[in-house]
Amino acid sequence: MPLLIAFIIAVVVVAIYARRNTGTRACRWREDRAGSKGALIKYNCITCGAEAFRSTGIPDRCMSGQGGASKL
Ligand SMILES: [Zn+2]
């Protein structure tokens, strides 16, 4: 059984580490009307500098891991 317990602990540690790496909840999006294109409103993340275009509202997660600006 010790092996099973060690395995469970390892999975939990990896899960926590992976979640910490994403940093999605640290992002704070700010609307940038000057960069908007029609119905698409430009948002800048003031935390990591990522850019995103959305027509439905503020992005709910960070785009920094996807090369910055998103292409709908
Ligand atoms: Zn960000």
Side-chain angles (χ1 to χ4, degrees), residues 27 29 45 47-50 62-64:
C27 276
W29 295 97
C45 173
T47 304
C48 68
C62 187
M63 304 290 153
S64 64

Side-chain angles (χ1 to χ4, degrees), residues 1-44:
M1 276 301 140
L3 274 179
L4 181 62
I5 295 171
F7 177 75
I8 293 173
I9 292 173
V11 169
V12 171
V13 169
V14 169
I16 293 172
Y17 186 75
R19 185 170 294 184
R20 199 174 280 175
N21 252 2
T22 58
T24 57
R25 285 166 196 173
C27 276
R28 290 198 281 170
W29 295 97
R30 186 163 286 177
E31 196 175 314
D32 181 7
R33 291 182 182 276
S36 300
K37 299 174 182 175
L40 292 176
I41 299 168
K42 183 181 180 183
Y43 290 94
N44 288 323

